Amino acid sequence: MPHGGRRPPAPGSQVFPRATSTVQPDPSRFFAPQLLNAPLPTNTFFQNFVLNNGDQPEYIHPYSIRSAAGGLTVCYPTRNHSSSFVIQTFVEDLTISAPSSGASHRVSAFDDLSVTLDVSPSLRAHLVRGCPYVTLTTAQGAGPVDISVASVNAFVEVAQSDSKGTKWRLRMNSGQTFLLYASAPIHLTQADNSHLSAPGFAGVIRVAYLPDAYMEPVLDQYSGCFPTAGEAALNQPFCVEYHWRKSGPGELLMLAHPLHMKLLSSHHGCGAVKVLDELRYRSIDGDLVGVVGDSWVLRTDPVSPTWHSTHGVSEDGVAEVVAALRSDVAGLASTPITTTSSYFYGKAIARAARFALIAEEVGCPDVIPTVQSYLKSTVTPWLDGTFQGNAFFYDSKWGGLVTQAGLNDSGGDFGFGIFNDHHYHLGYFLYAIAVLAKIDPVWGRKYMPQAYSMVADFMTLTRNKPGASFTRLRMFDLWKLHSWAGGLTEFADGRNQESTSEAVNAYYSAALLGLSYGDTHLATLAATLTALEAQAAQMWWHVREGDGMYEDDFSAENRVVGVLWANKRDSGLWFAPPEWRECRLGIQLLPVVPICEALFPDVAFVKELVKWTEPALARDGVGEGWKGFAYALEGVYDKEAALTKTRALTGYDDGNSLSNLLWWLHSRPAVAGVAGTGRCCWYRQYCH
């Protein structure tokens, strides 16, 4: 262990100074009082329920759900699409409610896979992700409750479907059919075309959309058992285990999205669960397939975060990389970092840290002291509070790090003060800290508490509990298996994320920090999240024509999603229109580091992506930095062409450099049909 096996510090709020934001919303309006003594989630699947008026819908597969007065509105969403977007639209298909005082709903419990909403004093909703039924229970001790069922559509059939009155079929003039199940007899009467009433009911109500008549017996069979909570465990490397708490008789029926199915079927053999392939619900994330079982095990292929390239730099490229490296390192003295933005500053220090690792790989150790000195002078002020113009603070209202720029400005540091993009910003800082701690262990020991506090801000694994400092896995969604970046902002389309590569970089950087400190637990957890994030990127952000994930018009026009929302796929970016394809490619690749190999393992897809991007490179005004990313991917299958173009560049992204691009290109392995050359990794030969 580089640091003598020293136990990592317990991250706490005391590492960075405390401050109070003026722009964060008040969580006490929607969270139950017993939850307010613990950190609260800031990028969760139910975030809209606790922001502003709490009345924007959230997509809780397979339904879009919105809080209504005294109840809940359920929508089985339809899709609209074009060559530039795919979107799920919200319609008030079915609203179930009880008499209410008019007070807002309350989040009374939440976990990785569910949220419990008290929508009225007498009605509670158990909203569990991937459940084909929406479940509501009347409050214990409340006695019989008058239930109202309404729709924006007209009911053309309201039929009792069993002799007990515990199952009803609700057919609408929209062509939709919902099934309503009850734990006790319920007597629905039709007040008018769009309103039903059921006086004096106590018990459990479950509603399920019926996609096709042949699925009805399956929904009947599993209607008795309902989940009330669900947790995801990361107890083994490259493995996620789901466990649901349940109530009622029978087995538990849930739905799996395509990445679930891939990780269930290819590694687990589905031995502990039963897949009902005939039960399918439509989703913007692909078909959701029925799975019976209250515990799942998902296993992903492992990735090995490494400091250096997997294959080493080709012998005939070492001299070129070394020459560029010496020039770039010499330039550090004449190009001080002028930005105070936590994002752009992070990119700049991570760029410099790359020089030390490239130097190790190509046998140029004499430049490392210069990089070390530069990193100490640029990173340390952010950790000890002496940086002029910005700083990290801890805010206890929701529980997390904020920046000085974001304390009083919700847009400051791209929304860092309201927990937007934390993994992006902190990932760059952690990369630089990991490298500096590797080459300067004394410095690393001194600033270990700050480093671990940054990790804990978005990678705390312990569940939210009183006295803790940070919420559990702030950015990472353990059901979708990727991160979100939206923060405490209400969006009609739910959470969103633009750059998958920066998300991958965040967990990869945390893994490297674990390697620097000899912390195998951190390294393994971060590697697991890295692997899952990369798998999700390939599943949903990388667009392959003909694979059926998205509609043909969208798949034909796009090779990467711009911004992926819970309810939408956009071809545009936050900062660029759809036709700026070079930006769309680049934002899914940067920063160029060794882990990018795991993000783009499919050479055929990489070639399609570059060919799709190439026409945009001829547009007037295309930035040289964005061209560099396209050339980097071109080098995966045509190194010589990419080298020629890269040598002609006159500028680079602010997180990139000529030496980094040349390192990447000269470390690409030979592809089929292309002769390879000898490989050189001085550091691997010397130290591994």
Side-chain angles (χ1 to χ4, degrees):
M1 292 184 182
H3 294 267
R6 180 178 176 182
R7 181 182 296 276
S13 58
Q14 74 280 1
V15 175
F16 289 102
R18 282 181 171 261
T20 301
S21 167
T22 63
V23 294
Q24 292 176 9
D26 179 7
S28 66
R29 182 179 178 190
F30 293 108
F31 284 97
Q34 72 271 16
L35 301 177
L36 296 175
N37 292 326
L40 296 169
T42 58
N43 275 284
T44 188
F45 66 97
F46 63 85
Q47 205 70 54
N48 276 349
F49 294 164
V50 297
L51 298 174
N52 294 342
N53 294 321
D55 57 358
Q56 284 287 351
E58 286 284 20
Y59 186 42
I60 302 178
H61 298 65
Y63 303 107
S64 288
I65 293 176
R66 186 175 71 190
S67 177
L72 210 64
T73 297
V74 178
C75 167
Y76 183 62
T78 56
R79 296 244 290 266
N80 291 327
H81 55 89
S82 72
S83 60
S84 60
F85 68 86
V86 180
I87 189 170
Q88 294 186 149
T89 56
F90 183 86
V91 176
E92 297 175 348
D93 289 334
L94 209 63
T95 299
I96 302 173
S97 59
S100 170
S101 62
S104 301
H105 61 257
R106 280 294 176 97
V107 173
S108 57
F110 63 87
D111 50 44
D112 301 324
L113 308 178
S114 76
V115 60
T116 302
L117 283 187
D118 291 340
V119 294
S120 81
S122 56
L123 203 59
R124 170 169 287 182
H126 299 283
L127 303 178
V128 183
R129 309 178 77 183
C131 185
Y133 314 85
V134 175
T135 306
L136 298 103
T137 59
T138 58
Q140 290 185 349
V145 178
D146 294 336
I147 300 295
S148 173
V149 181
S151 176
V152 71
N153 302 304
F155 294 107
V156 297
E157 179 187 12
V158 180
Q160 181 177 324
S161 301
D162 67 351
S163 60
K164 300 177 182 178
T166 57
K167 178 191 172 185
W168 292 73
R169 185 180 294 106
L170 311 179
R171 186 164 59 87
M172 304 167 186
N173 63 353
S174 61
Q176 297 170 300
T177 298
F178 281 82
L179 303 175
L180 185 149
Y181 301 92
S183 61
I186 187 169
H187 303 289
L188 292 173
T189 59
Q190 192 161 355
D192 57 42
N193 285 343
S194 57
H195 292 84
L196 311 175
S197 62
F201 176 80
V204 180
I205 293 174
R206 309 193 77 194
V207 295
Y209 176 74
L210 182 62
D212 200 292
Y214 73 85
M215 299 183 190
E216 186 167 354
V218 179
L219 292 170
D220 289 349
Q221 179 181 351
Y222 297 101
S223 62
C225 181
F226 63 94
T228 59
E231 295 181 344
L234 292 160
N235 296 327
Q236 303 176 53
F238 307 104
C239 177
V240 184
E241 300 176 30
Y242 291 167
H243 303 283
W244 288 276
R245 291 197 294 275
K246 59 183 182 176
S247 184
E251 296 179 291
L252 182 65
L253 172 64
M254 300 297 288
L255 300 172
H257 59 56
L259 186 51
H260 287 147
M261 293 304 298
K262 178 180 179 181
L263 303 184
L264 271 171
S265 60
S266 61
H267 294 280
H268 186 50
C270 302
V273 299
K274 178 170 58 177
V275 175
L276 305 181
D277 196 61
E278 72 279 6
L279 183 73
R280 289 179 175 260
Y281 280 75
R282 182 184 63 244
S283 163
I284 196 168
D285 297 305
D287 281 357
L288 307 175
V289 178
V291 176
V292 179
D294 52 23
S295 293
W296 298 0
V297 178
L298 310 171
R299 298 189 188 276
T300 184
D301 290 328
V303 299
S304 298
T306 59
W307 296 104
H308 309 109
S309 63
T310 303
H311 302 277
V313 174
S314 60
E315 301 249 359
D316 58 5
V318 170
E320 185 177 21
V321 174
V322 168
L325 178 64
R326 291 190 182 281
S327 176
D328 283 334
V329 172
L332 291 175
S334 59
T335 54
I337 305 174
T338 57
T339 182
T340 60
S341 158
S342 57
Y343 175 73
F344 290 113
Y345 198 102
K347 289 184 70 177
I349 57 177
R351 171 186 180 270
R354 288 290 307 134
F355 299 150
L357 297 181
I358 294 170
E360 288 181 343
E361 190 163 348
V362 297
C364 191
D366 57 294
V367 304
I368 294 177
T370 300
V371 179
Q372 177 182 340
S373 176
Y374 179 86
L375 290 176
K376 287 179 71 173
S377 67
T378 53
V379 175
T380 305
W382 281 82
L383 305 186
D384 65 13
T386 60
F387 183 72
Q388 300 298 308
N390 208 347
F392 288 115
F393 293 93
Y394 176 83
D395 191 306
S396 63
K397 185 183 293 185
W398 291 77
L401 297 183
V402 295
T403 58
Q404 179 181 322
L407 275 175
N408 303 307
D409 178 4
S410 62
D413 283 333
F414 296 102
F416 195 93
I418 53 172
F419 303 108
N420 181 54
D421 290 356
H422 271 214
H423 53 335
Y424 295 169
H425 298 225
L426 296 177
Y428 285 117
F429 272 87
L430 290 175
Y431 190 90
I433 292 169
V435 172
L436 185 51
K438 177 180 186 292
I439 60 180
D440 189 342
V442 173
W443 182 94
R445 283 193 294 272
K446 182 176 181 180
Y447 292 102
M448 182 186 282
Q450 289 90 336
Y452 271 84
S453 187
M454 288 181 172
V455 171
D457 179 77
F458 69 99
M459 278 188 60
T460 288
L461 196 57
T462 55
R463 304 187 191 283
N464 295 33
K465 58 184 179 182
S469 298
F470 299 103
T471 190
R472 172 170 161 88
L473 292 176
R474 183 182 307 282
M475 320 303 287
F476 196 83
D477 184 328
L478 284 163
W479 196 80
K480 276 300 299 295
L481 303 176
H482 64 73
S483 299
W484 297 111
L488 297 178
T489 302
E490 180 185 71
F491 294 108
D493 294 312
R495 301 299 92 200
N496 71 84
Q497 179 164 266
E498 185 175 58
S499 176
T500 56
S501 52
E502 288 181 301
V504 165
N505 179 67
Y507 302 114
Y508 165 65
S509 298
L512 296 183
L513 191 80
L515 295 180
S516 283
Y517 287 125
D519 184 347
T520 55
H521 174 73
L522 174 58
T524 301
L525 170 62
T528 298
L529 298 178
T530 300
L532 292 169
E533 191 85 43
Q535 289 263 10
Q538 293 156 28
M539 176 70 69
W540 289 302
W541 275 262
H542 297 180
V543 181
R544 294 168 173 82
E545 193 168 8
D547 72 353
M549 177 60 70
Y550 303 124
E551 282 78 3
D552 290 345
D553 52 358
F554 186 83
S555 296
E557 185 64 21
N558 298 279
R559 284 297 160 269
V560 284
V561 171
V563 179
L564 186 143
W565 302 77
N567 263 310
K568 187 180 183 183
R569 304 293 183 264
D570 253 331
S571 56
L573 302 171
W574 285 107
F575 63 92
E579 58 269 22
W580 291 16
R581 293 181 176 183
E582 75 285 357
C583 297
R584 295 173 62 186
L585 176 150
I587 204 66
Q588 302 303 335
L589 176 63
L590 63 84
V592 178
V593 289
I595 201 63
C596 291
E597 294 180 359
L599 188 56
F600 287 94
D602 183 345
V603 176
F605 173 74
V606 168
K607 190 170 186 178
E608 285 186 21
L609 175 58
V610 173
K611 295 299 182 186
W612 172 83
T613 305
E614 279 179 343
L617 300 181
R619 195 184 68 252
D620 288 343
V622 172
E624 293 286 282
W626 296 111
K627 291 179 183 178
F629 296 121
Y631 301 158
L633 281 188
E634 185 177 9
V636 170
Y637 61 89
D638 191 344
K639 184 174 81 172
E640 292 307 317
L643 280 168
T644 298
K645 296 172 184 176
T646 298
R647 291 164 183 149
L649 288 172
T650 58
Y652 312 94
D653 178 74
D654 51 3
N656 207 359
S657 63
L658 177 59
S659 55
N660 195 50
L661 284 172
L662 292 174
W663 159 83
W664 170 267
L665 294 172
H666 282 300
S667 62
R668 293 311 86 211
V671 297
V674 179
T677 60
R679 296 277 155 182
C680 172
C681 181
W682 172 85
Y683 189 79
R684 183 181 296 109
Q685 292 169 355
Y686 188 77
C687 295
H688 288 246

PDB file of all heavy atoms in Angstrom, residues 190-215:
ATOM      1  N   GLN A 190     -70.628   4.472 -11.249  1.00  0.00           N
ATOM      2  CA  GLN A 190     -70.234   5.475 -12.229  1.00  0.00           C
ATOM      3  C   GLN A 190     -71.069   6.728 -12.030  1.00  0.00           C
ATOM      4  O   GLN A 190     -72.281   6.743 -12.254  1.00  0.00           O
ATOM      5  CB  GLN A 190     -70.389   4.931 -13.650  1.00  0.00           C
ATOM      6  CG  GLN A 190     -69.739   5.800 -14.702  1.00  0.00           C
ATOM      7  CD  GLN A 190     -69.483   5.050 -16.006  1.00  0.00           C
ATOM      8  OE1 GLN A 190     -69.710   3.850 -16.107  1.00  0.00           O
ATOM      9  NE2 GLN A 190     -69.007   5.773 -17.017  1.00  0.00           N
ATOM     10  N   ALA A 191     -70.386   7.797 -11.592  1.00  0.00           N
ATOM     11  CA  ALA A 191     -71.083   9.058 -11.371  1.00  0.00           C
ATOM     12  C   ALA A 191     -71.361   9.772 -12.685  1.00  0.00           C
ATOM     13  O   ALA A 191     -72.426  10.358 -12.878  1.00  0.00           O
ATOM     14  CB  ALA A 191     -70.252   9.950 -10.450  1.00  0.00           C
ATOM     15  N   ASP A 192     -70.396   9.738 -13.588  1.00  0.00           N
ATOM     16  CA  ASP A 192     -70.575  10.271 -14.943  1.00  0.00           C
ATOM     17  C   ASP A 192     -69.572   9.573 -15.844  1.00  0.00           C
ATOM     18  O   ASP A 192     -68.938   8.589 -15.443  1.00  0.00           O
ATOM     19  CB  ASP A 192     -70.430  11.800 -14.975  1.00  0.00           C
ATOM     20  CG  ASP A 192     -69.096  12.278 -14.422  1.00  0.00           C
ATOM     21  OD1 ASP A 192     -68.057  11.658 -14.737  1.00  0.00           O
ATOM     22  OD2 ASP A 192     -69.077  13.272 -13.674  1.00  0.00           O
ATOM     23  N   ASN A 193     -69.411  10.078 -17.049  1.00  0.00           N
ATOM     24  CA  ASN A 193     -68.566   9.377 -18.025  1.00  0.00           C
ATOM     25  C   ASN A 193     -67.128   9.178 -17.556  1.00  0.00           C
ATOM     26  O   ASN A 193     -66.477   8.211 -17.953  1.00  0.00           O
ATOM     27  CB  ASN A 193     -68.560  10.132 -19.358  1.00  0.00           C
ATOM     28  CG  ASN A 193     -69.846   9.952 -20.121  1.00  0.00           C
ATOM     29  OD1 ASN A 193     -70.624   9.040 -19.834  1.00  0.00           O
ATOM     30  ND2 ASN A 193     -70.093  10.836 -21.091  1.00  0.00           N
ATOM     31  N   SER A 194     -66.628  10.079 -16.739  1.00  0.00           N
ATOM     32  CA  SER A 194     -65.204  10.034 -16.389  1.00  0.00           C
ATOM     33  C   SER A 194     -64.943   9.935 -14.896  1.00  0.00           C
ATOM     34  O   SER A 194     -63.796  10.095 -14.469  1.00  0.00           O
ATOM     35  CB  SER A 194     -64.487  11.267 -16.956  1.00  0.00           C
ATOM     36  OG  SER A 194     -65.077  12.455 -16.479  1.00  0.00           O
ATOM     37  N   HIS A 195     -65.972   9.674 -14.095  1.00  0.00           N
ATOM     38  CA  HIS A 195     -65.781   9.601 -12.653  1.00  0.00           C
ATOM     39  C   HIS A 195     -66.472   8.368 -12.073  1.00  0.00           C
ATOM     40  O   HIS A 195     -67.638   8.089 -12.388  1.00  0.00           O
ATOM     41  CB  HIS A 195     -66.330  10.853 -11.954  1.00  0.00           C
ATOM     42  CG  HIS A 195     -65.559  12.092 -12.252  1.00  0.00           C
ATOM     43  ND1 HIS A 195     -65.782  12.859 -13.378  1.00  0.00           N
ATOM     44  CD2 HIS A 195     -64.543  12.696 -11.567  1.00  0.00           C
ATOM     45  CE1 HIS A 195     -64.955  13.892 -13.379  1.00  0.00           C
ATOM     46  NE2 HIS A 195     -64.198  13.815 -12.295  1.00  0.00           N
ATOM     47  N   LEU A 196     -65.733   7.650 -11.214  1.00  0.00           N
ATOM     48  CA  LEU A 196     -66.267   6.510 -10.486  1.00  0.00           C
ATOM     49  C   LEU A 196     -66.095   6.770  -8.997  1.00  0.00           C
ATOM     50  O   LEU A 196     -65.178   7.495  -8.584  1.00  0.00           O
ATOM     51  CB  LEU A 196     -65.521   5.218 -10.859  1.00  0.00           C
ATOM     52  CG  LEU A 196     -65.316   4.905 -12.346  1.00  0.00           C
ATOM     53  CD1 LEU A 196     -64.458   3.641 -12.496  1.00  0.00           C
ATOM     54  CD2 LEU A 196     -66.645   4.743 -13.056  1.00  0.00           C
ATOM     55  N   SER A 197     -66.936   6.169  -8.200  1.00  0.00           N
ATOM     56  CA  SER A 197     -66.803   6.311  -6.756  1.00  0.00           C
ATOM     57  C   SER A 197     -66.961   4.958  -6.088  1.00  0.00           C
ATOM     58  O   SER A 197     -67.646   4.063  -6.596  1.00  0.00           O
ATOM     59  CB  SER A 197     -67.834   7.298  -6.210  1.00  0.00           C
ATOM     60  OG  SER A 197     -69.150   6.828  -6.457  1.00  0.00           O
ATOM     61  N   ALA A 198     -66.292   4.805  -4.948  1.00  0.00           N
ATOM     62  CA  ALA A 198     -66.361   3.573  -4.164  1.00  0.00           C
ATOM     63  C   ALA A 198     -66.400   3.966  -2.697  1.00  0.00           C
ATOM     64  O   ALA A 198     -65.366   4.237  -2.086  1.00  0.00           O
ATOM     65  CB  ALA A 198     -65.174   2.676  -4.455  1.00  0.00           C
ATOM     66  N   PRO A 199     -67.591   4.021  -2.094  1.00  0.00           N
ATOM     67  CA  PRO A 199     -67.687   4.458  -0.695  1.00  0.00           C
ATOM     68  C   PRO A 199     -67.231   3.375   0.271  1.00  0.00           C
ATOM     69  O   PRO A 199     -67.359   2.184   0.015  1.00  0.00           O
ATOM     70  CB  PRO A 199     -69.182   4.746  -0.542  1.00  0.00           C
ATOM     71  CG  PRO A 199     -69.844   3.834  -1.537  1.00  0.00           C
ATOM     72  CD  PRO A 199     -68.900   3.755  -2.703  1.00  0.00           C
ATOM     73  N   GLY A 200     -66.649   3.836   1.369  1.00  0.00           N
ATOM     74  CA  GLY A 200     -66.376   2.967   2.500  1.00  0.00           C
ATOM     75  C   GLY A 200     -65.450   1.801   2.240  1.00  0.00           C
ATOM     76  O   GLY A 200     -65.733   0.678   2.654  1.00  0.00           O
ATOM     77  N   PHE A 201     -64.294   2.069   1.624  1.00  0.00           N
ATOM     78  CA  PHE A 201     -63.345   0.986   1.364  1.00  0.00           C
ATOM     79  C   PHE A 201     -62.182   1.065   2.348  1.00  0.00           C
ATOM     80  O   PHE A 201     -61.670   2.141   2.674  1.00  0.00           O
ATOM     81  CB  PHE A 201     -62.810   1.050  -0.060  1.00  0.00           C
ATOM     82  CG  PHE A 201     -61.761   0.011  -0.341  1.00  0.00           C
ATOM     83  CD1 PHE A 201     -62.126  -1.299  -0.618  1.00  0.00           C
ATOM     84  CD2 PHE A 201     -60.400   0.326  -0.293  1.00  0.00           C
ATOM     85  CE1 PHE A 201     -61.163  -2.281  -0.844  1.00  0.00           C
ATOM     86  CE2 PHE A 201     -59.434  -0.642  -0.525  1.00  0.00           C
ATOM     87  CZ  PHE A 201     -59.823  -1.947  -0.805  1.00  0.00           C
ATOM     88  N   ALA A 202     -61.710  -0.099   2.789  1.00  0.00           N
ATOM     89  CA  ALA A 202     -60.494  -0.194   3.607  1.00  0.00           C
ATOM     90  C   ALA A 202     -59.675  -1.368   3.106  1.00  0.00           C
ATOM     91  O   ALA A 202     -60.200  -2.469   2.943  1.00  0.00           O
ATOM     92  CB  ALA A 202     -60.836  -0.372   5.079  1.00  0.00           C
ATOM     93  N   GLY A 203     -58.379  -1.134   2.845  1.00  0.00           N
ATOM     94  CA  GLY A 203     -57.524  -2.216   2.368  1.00  0.00           C
ATOM     95  C   GLY A 203     -56.554  -1.748   1.311  1.00  0.00           C
ATOM     96  O   GLY A 203     -56.080  -0.602   1.328  1.00  0.00           O
ATOM     97  N   VAL A 204     -56.250  -2.633   0.369  1.00  0.00           N
ATOM     98  CA  VAL A 204     -55.239  -2.412  -0.662  1.00  0.00           C
ATOM     99  C   VAL A 204     -55.918  -2.319  -2.029  1.00  0.00           C
ATOM    100  O   VAL A 204     -56.765  -3.154  -2.365  1.00  0.00           O
ATOM    101  CB  VAL A 204     -54.202  -3.552  -0.682  1.00  0.00           C
ATOM    102  CG1 VAL A 204     -53.156  -3.318  -1.760  1.00  0.00           C
ATOM    103  CG2 VAL A 204     -53.553  -3.716   0.677  1.00  0.00           C
ATOM    104  N   ILE A 205     -55.557  -1.307  -2.795  1.00  0.00           N
ATOM    105  CA  ILE A 205     -56.011  -1.165  -4.180  1.00  0.00           C
ATOM    106  C   ILE A 205     -54.786  -1.228  -5.077  1.00  0.00           C
ATOM    107  O   ILE A 205     -53.778  -0.552  -4.818  1.00  0.00           O
ATOM    108  CB  ILE A 205     -56.755   0.163  -4.400  1.00  0.00           C
ATOM    109  CG1 ILE A 205     -58.073   0.181  -3.626  1.00  0.00           C
ATOM    110  CG2 ILE A 205     -57.013   0.401  -5.884  1.00  0.00           C
ATOM    111  CD1 ILE A 205     -58.784   1.508  -3.680  1.00  0.00           C
ATOM    112  N   ARG A 206     -54.867  -2.033  -6.128  1.00  0.00           N
ATOM    113  CA  ARG A 206     -53.791  -2.106  -7.116  1.00  0.00           C
ATOM    114  C   ARG A 206     -54.398  -1.901  -8.506  1.00  0.00           C
ATOM    115  O   ARG A 206     -55.440  -2.485  -8.826  1.00  0.00           O
ATOM    116  CB  ARG A 206     -53.074  -3.458  -7.082  1.00  0.00           C
ATOM    117  CG  ARG A 206     -52.612  -3.878  -5.705  1.00  0.00           C
ATOM    118  CD  ARG A 206     -51.649  -5.055  -5.786  1.00  0.00           C
ATOM    119  NE  ARG A 206     -50.315  -4.622  -6.199  1.00  0.00           N
ATOM    120  CZ  ARG A 206     -49.352  -5.443  -6.612  1.00  0.00           C
ATOM    121  NH1 ARG A 206     -49.609  -6.747  -6.717  1.00  0.00           N
ATOM    122  NH2 ARG A 206     -48.157  -4.987  -6.943  1.00  0.00           N
ATOM    123  N   VAL A 207     -53.775  -1.049  -9.301  1.00  0.00           N
ATOM    124  CA  VAL A 207     -54.223  -0.850 -10.678  1.00  0.00           C
ATOM    125  C   VAL A 207     -53.076  -1.209 -11.609  1.00  0.00           C
ATOM    126  O   VAL A 207     -51.898  -0.957 -11.312  1.00  0.00           O
ATOM    127  CB  VAL A 207     -54.705   0.592 -10.939  1.00  0.00           C
ATOM    128  CG1 VAL A 207     -55.955   0.892 -10.121  1.00  0.00           C
ATOM    129  CG2 VAL A 207     -53.613   1.604 -10.640  1.00  0.00           C
ATOM    130  N   ALA A 208     -53.424  -1.818 -12.733  1.00  0.00           N
ATOM    131  CA  ALA A 208     -52.422  -2.212 -13.719  1.00  0.00           C
ATOM    132  C   ALA A 208     -52.984  -1.970 -15.113  1.00  0.00           C
ATOM    133  O   ALA A 208     -54.143  -2.312 -15.395  1.00  0.00           O
ATOM    134  CB  ALA A 208     -52.048  -3.682 -13.557  1.00  0.00           C
ATOM    135  N   TYR A 209     -52.174  -1.388 -15.954  1.00  0.00           N
ATOM    136  CA  TYR A 209     -52.550  -1.258 -17.362  1.00  0.00           C
ATOM    137  C   TYR A 209     -52.457  -2.626 -18.023  1.00  0.00           C
ATOM    138  O   TYR A 209     -51.527  -3.402 -17.737  1.00  0.00           O
ATOM    139  CB  TYR A 209     -51.615  -0.270 -18.065  1.00  0.00           C
ATOM    140  CG  TYR A 209     -51.875  -0.152 -19.545  1.00  0.00           C
ATOM    141  CD1 TYR A 209     -52.986   0.538 -20.015  1.00  0.00           C
ATOM    142  CD2 TYR A 209     -51.020  -0.745 -20.479  1.00  0.00           C
ATOM    143  CE1 TYR A 209     -53.239   0.637 -21.377  1.00  0.00           C
ATOM    144  CE2 TYR A 209     -51.269  -0.646 -21.836  1.00  0.00           C
ATOM    145  CZ  TYR A 209     -52.380   0.038 -22.280  1.00  0.00           C
ATOM    146  OH  TYR A 209     -52.629   0.133 -23.624  1.00  0.00           O
ATOM    147  N   LEU A 210     -53.412  -2.925 -18.901  1.00  0.00           N
ATOM    148  CA  LEU A 210     -53.434  -4.204 -19.609  1.00  0.00           C
ATOM    149  C   LEU A 210     -52.955  -3.978 -21.034  1.00  0.00           C
ATOM    150  O   LEU A 210     -53.714  -3.506 -21.885  1.00  0.00           O
ATOM    151  CB  LEU A 210     -54.851  -4.793 -19.605  1.00  0.00           C
ATOM    152  CG  LEU A 210     -55.030  -6.151 -20.278  1.00  0.00           C
ATOM    153  CD1 LEU A 210     -54.191  -7.221 -19.577  1.00  0.00           C
ATOM    154  CD2 LEU A 210     -56.507  -6.554 -20.307  1.00  0.00           C
ATOM    155  N   PRO A 211     -51.687  -4.285 -21.337  1.00  0.00           N
ATOM    156  CA  PRO A 211     -51.174  -4.042 -22.695  1.00  0.00           C
ATOM    157  C   PRO A 211     -51.844  -4.908 -23.749  1.00  0.00           C
ATOM    158  O   PRO A 211     -52.004  -4.487 -24.897  1.00  0.00           O
ATOM    159  CB  PRO A 211     -49.680  -4.371 -22.576  1.00  0.00           C
ATOM    160  CG  PRO A 211     -49.373  -4.302 -21.121  1.00  0.00           C
ATOM    161  CD  PRO A 211     -50.630  -4.757 -20.439  1.00  0.00           C
ATOM    162  N   ASP A 212     -52.195  -6.135 -23.366  1.00  0.00           N
ATOM    163  CA  ASP A 212     -52.811  -7.067 -24.306  1.00  0.00           C
ATOM    164  C   ASP A 212     -53.659  -8.050 -23.517  1.00  0.00           C
ATOM    165  O   ASP A 212     -53.304  -8.431 -22.394  1.00  0.00           O
ATOM    166  CB  ASP A 212     -51.735  -7.814 -25.103  1.00  0.00           C
ATOM    167  CG  ASP A 212     -52.285  -8.415 -26.387  1.00  0.00           C
ATOM    168  OD1 ASP A 212     -53.093  -9.361 -26.284  1.00  0.00           O
ATOM    169  OD2 ASP A 212     -51.911  -7.948 -27.471  1.00  0.00           O
ATOM    170  N   ALA A 213     -54.772  -8.487 -24.116  1.00  0.00           N
ATOM    171  CA  ALA A 213     -55.729  -9.331 -23.389  1.00  0.00           C
ATOM    172  C   ALA A 213     -55.095 -10.614 -22.873  1.00  0.00           C
ATOM    173  O   ALA A 213     -55.468 -11.106 -21.790  1.00  0.00           O
ATOM    174  CB  ALA A 213     -56.924  -9.645 -24.284  1.00  0.00           C
ATOM    175  N   TYR A 214     -54.117 -11.163 -23.597  1.00  0.00           N
ATOM    176  CA  TYR A 214     -53.539 -12.436 -23.172  1.00  0.00           C
ATOM    177  C   TYR A 214     -52.716 -12.308 -21.886  1.00  0.00           C
ATOM    178  O   TYR A 214     -52.381 -13.298 -21.244  1.00  0.00           O
ATOM    179  CB  TYR A 214     -52.691 -13.053 -24.285  1.00  0.00           C
ATOM    180  CG  TYR A 214     -51.367 -12.381 -24.540  1.00  0.00           C
ATOM    181  CD1 TYR A 214     -50.238 -12.703 -23.791  1.00  0.00           C
ATOM    182  CD2 TYR A 214     -51.229 -11.430 -25.557  1.00  0.00           C
ATOM    183  CE1 TYR A 214     -49.019 -12.087 -24.023  1.00  0.00           C
ATOM    184  CE2 TYR A 214     -50.015 -10.813 -25.791  1.00  0.00           C
ATOM    185  CZ  TYR A 214     -48.915 -11.140 -25.025  1.00  0.00           C
ATOM    186  OH  TYR A 214     -47.716 -10.525 -25.257  1.00  0.00           O
ATOM    187  N   MET A 215     -52.385 -11.072 -21.499  1.00  0.00           N
ATOM    188  CA  MET A 215     -51.612 -10.871 -20.274  1.00  0.00           C
ATOM    189  C   MET A 215     -52.488 -10.852 -19.024  1.00  0.00           C
ATOM    190  O   MET A 215     -51.977 -10.908 -17.902  1.00  0.00           O
ATOM    191  CB  MET A 215     -50.828  -9.552 -20.349  1.00  0.00           C
ATOM    192  CG  MET A 215     -49.824  -9.476 -21.477  1.00  0.00           C
ATOM    193  SD  MET A 215     -48.914  -7.913 -21.403  1.00  0.00           S
ATOM    194  CE  MET A 215     -48.036  -7.960 -22.976  1.00  0.00           C
TER     195      MET A 215
END
